[in-house]
Amino acid sequence: MTVTVDEKRCIACGMCAYAAPEVFRIVGSASTVVAQPEGKSPRVRDAANGCPVNAIRVEG
């Protein structure tokens, strides 16, 4: 599973960092991926599906 955040779309609402703090952190005005998840992570998929501006992409 590979996770990316489109910093141009991100509004730094913090929902992803709340859902999966081991993967996402808010840095400045956007979310940042601090660590790729190991294996399949339903919390990371929940964060991507819940992103209000669809800035998170999950592949794999």
Side-chain angles (χ1 to χ4, degrees):
M1 173 178 277
T2 303
V3 182
T4 57
V5 175
D6 183 343
E7 293 181 7
K8 293 179 182 176
R9 296 185 92 175
C10 181
I11 59 172
C13 73
M15 191 282 311
C16 58
Y18 178 78
E22 68 281 5
V23 175
F24 301 100
R25 290 226 174 83
I26 302 300
V27 177
S29 61
S31 179
T32 300
V33 176
V34 294
Q36 292 294 326
E38 295 182 20
K40 304 277 183 190
S41 174
R43 293 184 342 167
V44 171
R45 290 214 185 267
D46 289 345
N49 291 334
C51 180
V53 293
N54 297 317
I56 300 170
R57 174 175 286 187
V58 177
E59 297 176 6

